[in-house]
Amino acid sequence: MTVDLHDYVATVENFPEPGVNFRDISPLMGDGVAYKQAVDAIADFAKQLNVALIAGPESRGFIVGSPLAYTLGIGFVPARKGGKLPRKAVSASYTLEYGGVNELEIHEDAIKPGQRVLIVDDLLATGGTINATREIIEKLGGIVAGVAFIIELEDLHGREKIMEAGEVPFLALMEY
Ligand code: PRP
Ligand code: ADE
């Protein structure tokens, strides 16, 4: 059975601040068929890219990245929000569609030079989160082999921002 994933996205106007249309994937995660379909579609993309690791930014990137890594039988690298990691880490800061400036960090031994990494997240908005994750991976000597999302918010031009940092294979399961 194949479902229309759009039916599992809840849109909330003016959240968390006026002018933002929040695209909530909670219904998709809460449905076993839709969640598996989304993860499997990203897994098909990942299989073409010969990746050694999946990386995902805190926190919704973990919801996509962990089952994906498990499905593929490879490791998952969390990019955590600033100040959470206990060991030496590399960081990058970025600006959000809402909520100001943030910082992400990855443990410095999480990625070995030359390893191919797929970055995943639930949603691409301005691209700040993904470009910060990418910056850290590249600082560690990793190769960003691709980027994948459940949702892309086209009006915010995140895809262009990613490609400005260097062309990479791109997948978005839904566009809004
Ligand atoms: C959301 C979303 C993406 C990011 C996209 O996360 O899950 O990670 O924003 O925005 P961008 O493309 O403009 O950077 P958020 O920072 O709200 O954190 P959360 O996952 O903890 O809710
Ligand atoms: N993260 C950044 N912008 C978002 C939006 N409009 N909906 C859900 N998550 C987001």
Side-chain angles (χ1 to χ4, degrees):
M1 181 173 81
T2 303
V3 297
D4 183 349
L5 295 179
H6 295 85
D7 294 341
Y8 298 84
V9 178
T11 298
V12 184
E13 287 177 15
N14 300 315
F15 180 88
E17 58 186 41
V20 176
N21 265 344
F22 194 87
R23 307 291 180 177
D24 176 24
I25 60 151
S26 303
L28 186 152
M29 293 181 291
D31 183 279
V33 172
Y35 191 18
K36 182 169 165 40
Q37 184 175 311
V39 172
D40 285 350
I42 300 175
D44 287 343
F45 176 68
K47 280 174 196 161
Q48 300 163 28
L49 301 173
N50 190 27
V51 292
L53 291 168
I54 303 296
E58 184 171 352
S59 36
R60 284 175 262 157
F62 299 176
I63 295 165
V64 181
S66 304
L68 178 64
Y70 180 85
T71 297
L72 294 168
I74 61 177
F76 177 73
V77 175
R80 296 223 57 189
K81 286 179 178 163
K84 303 262 188 183
L85 290 176
R87 295 182 296 111
K88 202 164 174 210
V90 171
S91 64
S93 58
Y94 60 103
T95 311
L96 284 163
E97 183 189 9
Y98 51 77
V101 179
N102 214 333
E103 192 180 45
L104 285 173
E105 295 185 324
I106 294 178
H107 272 141
E108 68 171 7
D109 62 1
I111 295 167
K112 294 181 183 58
Q115 276 190 311
R116 292 172 61 79
V117 184
L118 173 66
I119 308 176
V120 299
D121 204 351
D122 69 323
L123 178 143
L124 173 64
T126 66
T129 303
I130 286 315
N131 274 358
T133 307
R134 177 180 194 168
E135 186 183 325
I136 300 168
I137 292 168
E138 290 178 348
K139 273 187 203 164
L140 291 171
I143 296 162
V144 175
V147 293
F149 307 89
I150 294 178
I151 294 174
E152 173 187 13
L153 302 183
E154 286 186 300
D155 290 353
L156 294 175
H157 305 294
R159 192 195 294 219
E160 285 97 303
K161 201 162 155 193
I162 292 171
M163 299 306 165
E164 275 168 21
E167 294 279 326
V168 278
F170 180 100
L171 175 73
L173 302 183
M174 288 179 275
E175 283 152 7
Y176 282 91

